[in-house]
Amino acid sequence: MPTRFTATGWGALLFCLMIGSAWAEVVVVVSVQNPVETLSRAELSDIYLGRLNRLPNGASVVPIDQREGTSTRGEFYKKYLGITPAQVKAHWSRLIFTGRGQPPRSVPGDDAVADVVAEAPNAIGYLDPGPGLVDDRLRVVTVE
Amino acid sequence: MGDGGTVIGHWLHRLVAPPVLFTGIALLFLAVIWGTTLNLVAREHASAERTAAALAADVANTYEAQVVRALREIDTTLKMIRYNLGDAPAQEVLDELRHQELLPPELLFTASVTDARGDVIASTHPASEANQNYFPLARKEDDMVVGQTQRSEGGAERQLSFGRRIESAAGQVEGIVVVSVDAGYFVSGYDSGVLGDQGVLGLVGTDGVFRIRRTGDEVSTGGIIDYDSLVASNDIDNAPATVRHNTWDGIRRYTIARKLYDFPLAIVVGLSEAERLAPVARKERTYFWRAGTASALLIAVMALLGRLSWQLHKARARVLEERVAHAREVEYLAYHDNLTGLPNRALFSRLLSQGMQYARRYEKRMALLFLDLDRFKVINDSLGHDAGDELLQEMGRRLCEATRESDVVARLGGDEFVIILPEIIEGTQVAPVAEKVLAAVGRPFMLAGQEFRVTVSIGIALFPEDGEDEQTLTKNADIAMYHAKEEGKNNFQFYSEKLNTDSLERLTLESSMRRALVNQEFRLFYQSKQDMITGRITGMEALLRWQHPDLGLIPPMQFIPLAEENSLIVPIGRWVLHTACRQNVAWQKEGFPALSMAVNLSMRQFLDEHLIKDIKDALQETGMAPELLELEITESMIMHDMQRTIGILHELKKMGVRIAIDDFGTGYSSLSKLKEFPLDTIKIDSSFIGDIARCAEDRSLTEAIIELGKSLSLIVVAEGVESEEQVDYLRAHSCDQFQGFYINKPMPAAEFAAAVRKQRRGEANSGSSPGQPDSH
């Protein structure tokens, strides 16, 4: 499909740019079966803070978090949501206590994220794209 | 009833008086404004308090439910872990449970298992530190125990652990299942929107130790409080919160502390009183501010109205004052003489009658002085009315100075003044006052650049003896004054009954004198003058008599002074002049020789400005030859105003009239001045002639006068000659002519004509020796 190709091509380009940089860049990924290609920062933030469970196109979305203490997790929240892990904890603490939400399911690391997202078309996750992690199963979502 | 009505009316009147009315309205409005404001504030305050208390209760209910649910979840987790232990190693059990998502979110919660000694043998967070303060209690307690909050090493986390013991079938403690959570979890529901910055949420153990407490963003642990006093008294469900002073931070809050069912914990919820009441306090301030503004405005408006009303009141008062002042002025003018400022006749009359009433009641005496300036008419006529006015003003001042404050000085009009002396004891007390007045008036003063002296005649009447009513007293004082005039002026006279009689006569004369001219009651008598040598009649002197219808013939002495006073002398003198001239002309026509006719001029006549014209008229109308008319004036008349006299005399001389000085020797003529007067004749006063035989002094004076006359080329006439002896003496001393009883007395025209004819016949018949008088 031309669209698929185009999307993959864009993802590959972005990937190459990331590799080229000195820092390991955390990226947001979805299953290739998921049509989402771009998300706004606000949408991503809402999804991870439990305020949004459907994408703009109407499809449901399930965020996958990483375990507390991993460097990728800290990097992700800082880069995309602009908040610290302590703030994330306080946020969920209040939602859980008041019974208005549950935090995203968390998995041990980047590999686990890649596996879980690849298998669930409605899942969204983040990872530090180490060698071979972002393969045919996953697509990097552009966050604007 | 009437009294009550008046009193009520009086009060009503007082109430509507502007100051009272405006103050009253202002107070009423102020009362309404502040009453409403205070009521409103009280209600708002109460309402805010109720709302705060109810809100605190609501928050407490919600919080209680949330805490209980969270604790149940934790307890359920504990029980579930404990249940699954035994078959497999503890760590595997935990991992399996986690995999099955049966454990609470590991983001917050840590689940662990210890052995009987308390060492951790399995955990969802292996690296996490063991917190064992729950341990001793957990070993003993059958139920879930709550540990103390413990800070992690980094300090960011406050771990609170909940534990349940694991028992063997034999009841042996084999270990503890533990769930730890950040204590902040229990206060994460703190909502600033509801609780504000000073509210409180907290969990306190039944041991009185705060496991966690949050106020605003500040989270703390570990404070110890008196659990019983905080919780026990606040047990009732849904009861509104009460304001309490929170001992841990000293803030007053609507506080609810409630023990949780089944757990050794109590919740504490508090809403800061200051914060909850801040909006209402702001509102109250607004209300007070508005009320204050309204009050100030009201007071300002009322003050303005009050001021306006006051000004109106003042303006009215001023108008009233002006009216009163005007009325006073009018009254003053009505009762005062506007020239001198003294009381006028009307006020005098009132004061006199008042004084008399007073004197009558207290049996006092009083005196009335009636004053009339002497010679005022002369001054007024000769210097003009302005000078006369000035004189009167000066006199008014002097009279006031000469009397006491309590005496009344009034001007009745013209030159008449009166003085009332109230409260005298003796009539003699009046004399010094009168003398003082005479002296004060008699002082010289300057008028129109000349020094003048005026005198006054004073008549005094005493109350009650000289008159018991106003009119009588005034009239009698007037009579006394006339008497003073008769006594030579410049003196004072007391009234007496006799004066009254004289005065009555005088009054009769005065009133009838006016009629006399019209009724032709005046007569002229003629007395001849004879030549000393030839004895021939050379002329006659016309003498005035009054043939009164009731009183008979009245001599001039009795009515001439009166005529001088009331100015009738001028028309009378004019009549005399005309009559004398007409008679003379008649006799000439009858064939009499050219006899001269002497006519006396009075002072008033002489000073009258129409004198010259009157004489001219008389001469023209009668056709009398001027040289036959001889005008007789007295020495004192000449000396009164010499310049003027010389002027008049020259005028007369121009007309050809002859001039004689009457009564020469009695006045004080300056002999050196005498030659300046254009005179023709001097007449020696009869007083010298009468004693000429006996008194050497009179003889020498007579001789001197004759000498003087001769040296001035004047004709010298002797008056009042009564004997042959006198005639001889005078002839011996070269006196020219004489007149007197020796030859004839004054007689009516017919008799006089007869006498003349007789003499002429005698002359014609005998050619007898001249100088022989008719036999008497």
Side-chain angles (χ1 to χ4, degrees):
Chain A
M1 280 206 286
T3 34
R4 283 276 288 279
F5 175 78
T6 314
T8 316
W10 274 113
L13 182 62
L14 194 68
F15 177 55
C16 290
L17 283 170
M18 283 170 174
I19 289 297
S21 72
W23 289 93
E25 290 285 343
V26 176
V27 295
V28 177
V29 294
V30 292
S31 156
V32 289
Q33 297 165 43
N34 193 319
V36 171
E37 286 173 7
T38 64
L39 280 173
S40 71
R41 229 167 243 274
E43 283 164 350
L44 188 65
S45 185
D46 287 347
I47 289 166
Y48 268 91
L49 293 178
R51 296 175 195 140
L52 196 68
N53 54 10
R54 278 184 191 279
L55 288 170
N57 62 12
S60 71
V61 63
V62 176
I64 303 297
D65 203 1
Q66 293 205 14
R67 288 267 165 86
E68 220 188 345
T70 65
S71 62
T72 311
R73 183 172 185 269
E75 183 70 23
F76 169 75
Y77 280 108
K78 190 181 163 198
K79 182 181 173 186
Y80 292 100
L81 274 68
I83 53 177
T84 63
Q87 283 172 313
V88 177
K89 194 169 180 178
H91 171 74
W92 284 116
S93 190
R94 189 167 71 248
L95 289 195
I96 296 164
F97 182 75
T98 55
R100 276 180 280 171
Q102 286 288 313
R105 178 181 159 207
S106 62
V107 294
D110 296 336
D111 297 333
V113 170
D115 291 342
V116 172
V117 172
E119 280 169 27
N122 58 350
I124 185 168
Y126 59 89
L127 49 80
D128 191 354
L133 264 182
V134 182
D135 50 20
D136 291 352
R137 304 175 300 165
L138 297 177
R139 175 152 33 92
V140 172
V141 175
T142 308
V143 178
E144 296 163 337
Chain B
M1 189 67 183
D3 272 0
T6 327
V7 168
I8 290 167
H10 176 71
W11 277 102
L12 271 177
H13 192 74
R14 288 280 294 270
L15 280 179
V16 296
V20 178
L21 188 68
F22 285 115
T23 313
I25 290 174
L27 286 177
L28 196 71
F29 273 106
L30 285 178
V32 169
I33 288 170
W34 287 97
T36 312
T37 304
L38 290 173
N39 185 24
L40 210 60
V41 164
R43 275 201 224 173
E44 291 273 358
H45 200 87
S47 155
E49 279 176 338
R50 274 198 306 279
T51 309
L55 182 65
D58 274 359
V59 173
N61 288 345
T62 309
Y63 187 53
E64 183 185 18
Q66 287 169 337
V67 171
V68 165
R69 196 193 62 219
L71 291 174
R72 291 235 169 91
E73 220 168 78
I74 290 168
D75 198 20
T76 305
T77 306
L78 290 176
K79 286 176 182 165
M80 187 182 63
I81 294 172
R82 188 173 65 177
Y83 176 76
N84 285 297
L85 288 174
D87 305 336
Q91 189 62 49
E92 275 178 36
V93 172
L94 287 183
D95 287 345
E96 179 58 24
L97 285 174
R98 179 160 73 184
H99 186 71
Q100 295 299 322
E101 297 187 6
L102 286 169
L103 295 182
E106 56 198 88
L107 181 63
L108 297 176
F109 296 91
T110 303
S112 314
V113 179
T114 71
D115 60 15
R117 285 174 303 164
D119 294 332
V120 177
I121 52 171
S123 175
T124 51
H125 294 64
S128 69
E129 225 174 296
N131 172 6
Q132 301 198 329
N133 55 29
Y134 55 86
F135 187 71
L137 197 61
R139 280 178 61 94
K140 280 190 282 179
E141 291 281 332
D142 211 17
D143 294 327
M144 183 177 83
V145 299
V146 183
Q148 297 297 335
T149 309
Q150 190 156 14
R151 294 185 90 99
S152 64
E153 226 168 84
E157 304 238 317
R158 299 173 184 79
Q159 285 292 325
L160 183 59
S161 301
F162 301 86
R164 262 184 187 276
R165 63 181 181 185
I166 310 164
E167 290 173 31
S168 65
Q172 206 73 27
V173 176
E174 289 182 334
I176 312 282
V177 187
V178 185
V179 168
S180 298
V181 66
D182 180 359
Y185 167 66
F186 291 100
V187 291
S188 62
Y190 189 98
D191 182 358
S192 303
V194 178
L195 290 160
D197 294 332
Q198 295 292 321
V200 71
L201 276 187
L203 274 186
V204 63
T206 48
D207 52 7
V209 179
F210 267 113
R211 295 302 190 271
I212 191 74
R213 187 178 72 228
R214 178 170 171 177
T215 291
D217 286 332
E218 204 170 300
V219 180
S220 55
T221 59
I224 298 174
I225 53 150
D226 183 354
Y227 177 85
D228 289 333
S229 77
L230 181 66
V231 180
S233 61
N234 218 331
D235 238 351
I236 315 143
D237 278 358
N238 291 325
T242 53
V243 176
R244 317 187 78 187
H245 178 260
N246 291 166
T247 52
W248 55 89
D249 57 4
I251 292 175
R252 283 172 61 82
R253 294 190 178 91
Y254 291 91
T255 310
I256 287 182
R258 204 178 286 159
K259 166 83 171 68
L260 299 176
Y261 176 72
D262 235 12
F263 298 106
L265 287 169
I267 55 150
V268 176
V269 171
L271 292 175
S272 159
E273 185 186 37
E275 272 184 348
R276 297 315 307 180
L277 298 185
V280 79
R282 268 199 302 279
K283 221 172 189 176
E284 281 168 14
R285 273 201 297 282
T286 310
Y287 287 149
F288 282 130
W289 194 81
R290 277 183 202 159
T293 311
S295 302
L297 212 67
L298 180 74
I299 289 170
V301 167
M302 285 301 161
L304 196 72
L305 286 177
R307 200 182 136 78
L308 286 177
S309 138
W310 187 65
Q311 278 173 346
L312 191 72
H313 181 73
K314 246 178 54 174
R316 263 192 218 152
R318 202 165 45 235
V319 168
L320 204 70
E321 249 169 50
E322 274 166 15
R323 253 184 234 162
V324 168
H326 182 70
R328 277 212 193 106
E329 204 185 316
V330 167
E331 195 184 84
Y332 183 86
L333 289 178
Y335 285 109
H336 288 81
D337 168 41
N338 57 6
L339 182 62
T340 59
L342 294 173
N344 62 9
R345 187 181 286 277
L347 183 54
F348 157 72
S349 160
R350 207 169 68 180
L351 291 172
L352 181 61
S353 61
Q354 274 173 7
M356 286 165 81
Q357 276 169 16
Y358 180 84
R360 206 171 286 131
R361 180 182 302 168
Y362 298 101
E363 299 189 346
K364 306 260 181 186
R365 304 174 70 191
M366 52 188 283
L368 178 64
L369 278 64
F370 204 104
L371 289 78
D372 190 277
L373 296 179
D374 305 322
R375 296 181 54 214
F376 175 72
K377 286 196 177 77
V378 177
I379 289 178
N380 212 16
D381 290 347
S382 57
L383 292 179
H385 290 295
D386 288 346
D389 286 351
E390 209 178 303
L391 169 67
L392 289 172
Q393 284 171 339
E394 176 62 22
M395 287 307 127
R397 274 193 291 276
R398 289 186 182 187
L399 292 180
C400 289
E401 281 165 19
T403 53
R404 288 174 305 179
E405 198 78 14
S406 56
D407 300 337
V408 174
V409 178
R411 179 176 171 229
L412 300 188
D415 58 344
E416 287 180 342
F417 292 87
V418 284
I419 299 174
I420 303 171
L421 304 179
E423 292 199 39
I424 56 158
I425 298 164
E426 289 287 333
T428 50
Q429 282 178 295
V430 185
V433 180
E435 265 158 18
K436 219 171 145 190
V437 170
L438 286 176
V441 173
R443 272 187 285 132
F445 72 100
M446 297 296 291
L447 196 62
Q450 271 180 285
E451 195 181 76
F452 271 87
R453 258 173 224 274
V454 216
T455 54
V456 66
S457 300
I458 306 174
I460 302 167
L462 298 173
F463 177 85
E465 51 267 54
D466 294 341
E468 295 212 13
D469 62 274
E470 189 192 321
Q471 276 177 333
T472 313
L473 196 67
T474 312
K475 191 194 76 190
N476 289 345
D478 192 23
I479 289 168
M481 187 274 290
Y482 270 106
H483 183 55
K485 289 259 184 208
E486 281 163 13
E487 290 297 310
K489 306 178 176 173
N490 196 21
N491 71 95
F492 61 90
Q493 295 295 327
F494 283 90
Y495 171 77
S496 68
E497 276 300 326
K498 186 183 169 300
L499 284 185
N500 195 11
T501 325
D502 289 355
S503 167
L504 271 179
E505 209 171 281
R506 211 175 56 99
L507 275 177
T508 318
L509 280 185
E510 193 173 320
S511 59
S512 53
M513 197 189 293
R514 296 176 194 281
R515 278 199 321 267
L517 258 181
V518 183
N519 295 350
Q520 301 191 329
E521 289 167 17
F522 289 111
R523 302 278 181 275
L524 281 186
F525 278 37
Y526 300 94
Q527 188 177 33
S528 65
K529 269 190 292 186
Q530 285 186 346
D531 188 277
M532 194 65 80
I533 314 284
T534 63
R536 195 174 290 149
I537 294 173
T538 57
M540 67 289 255
E541 182 179 355
L543 296 164
L544 183 62
R545 296 291 184 272
W546 181 5
Q547 186 64 51
H548 195 279
D550 305 325
L551 301 173
L553 199 63
I554 301 174
M557 304 293 282
Q558 278 183 26
F559 68 92
I560 293 294
L562 200 63
E564 286 256 15
E565 269 171 34
N566 61 22
S567 301
L568 275 172
I569 194 71
V570 175
I572 292 173
R574 206 180 290 140
W575 177 85
V576 169
L577 208 54
H578 276 254
T579 310
C581 290
R582 201 178 298 119
Q583 184 63 65
N584 191 278
V585 170
W587 282 332
Q588 303 289 318
K589 283 180 183 163
E590 248 180 69
F592 281 26
L595 299 172
S596 72
M597 174 65 80
V599 174
N600 290 288
L601 289 183
S602 76
M603 175 77 123
R604 279 300 278 275
Q605 256 182 306
F606 187 66
L607 292 176
D608 192 82
E609 53 190 351
H610 302 301
L611 175 71
I612 305 293
K613 186 175 176 292
D614 284 348
I615 293 169
K616 266 185 191 163
D617 288 350
L619 292 174
Q620 274 176 10
E621 280 175 28
T622 58
M624 167 102 164
E627 64 275 10
L628 291 182
L629 180 62
E630 188 169 68
L631 297 174
E632 292 189 5
I633 54 177
T634 61
E635 238 185 318
S636 54
M637 283 160 67
I638 295 179
M639 292 306 159
H640 173 69
D641 183 349
M642 266 198 276
Q643 286 313 112
R644 190 165 174 207
T645 306
I646 291 172
I648 294 169
L649 293 183
H650 277 291
E651 285 279 321
L652 292 173
K653 285 306 286 180
K654 252 192 268 173
M655 288 160 57
V657 174
R658 294 166 63 83
I659 296 162
I661 293 193
D662 205 2
D663 304 339
F664 192 81
T666 54
Y668 306 95
S669 307
S670 162
L671 293 181
S672 61
K673 299 271 180 191
L674 204 57
K675 67 173 192 289
E676 291 176 25
F677 297 114
L679 302 174
D680 298 290
T681 306
I682 51 175
K683 297 176 83 175
I684 306 170
D685 192 67
S686 55
S687 60
F688 295 106
I689 306 301
D691 281 342
I692 213 165
R694 292 181 297 278
C695 182
E697 246 177 63
D698 280 350
R699 272 202 301 276
S700 55
L701 270 171
T702 306
E703 282 164 28
I705 293 170
I706 294 169
E707 277 299 309
L708 178 77
K710 290 292 159 191
S711 66
L712 290 173
S713 314
L714 301 176
I715 295 168
V716 181
V717 180
E719 281 184 290
V721 176
E722 291 173 355
S723 67
E724 189 163 6
E725 198 182 358
Q726 290 167 343
V727 175
D728 289 343
Y729 175 84
L730 289 167
R731 193 182 296 130
H733 287 88
S734 308
C735 184
D736 296 316
Q737 297 174 11
F738 72 95
Q739 68 180 84
F741 285 1
Y742 177 63
I743 37 171
N744 64 24
K745 56 184 186 200
M747 56 188 82
E751 280 178 45
F752 185 81
V756 173
R757 277 186 213 105
K758 190 179 161 194
Q759 193 198 28
R760 288 185 65 193
R761 268 198 306 277
E763 267 177 32
N765 293 344
S766 64
S768 67
S769 61
Q772 288 297 313
D774 299 337
S775 56
H776 290 283

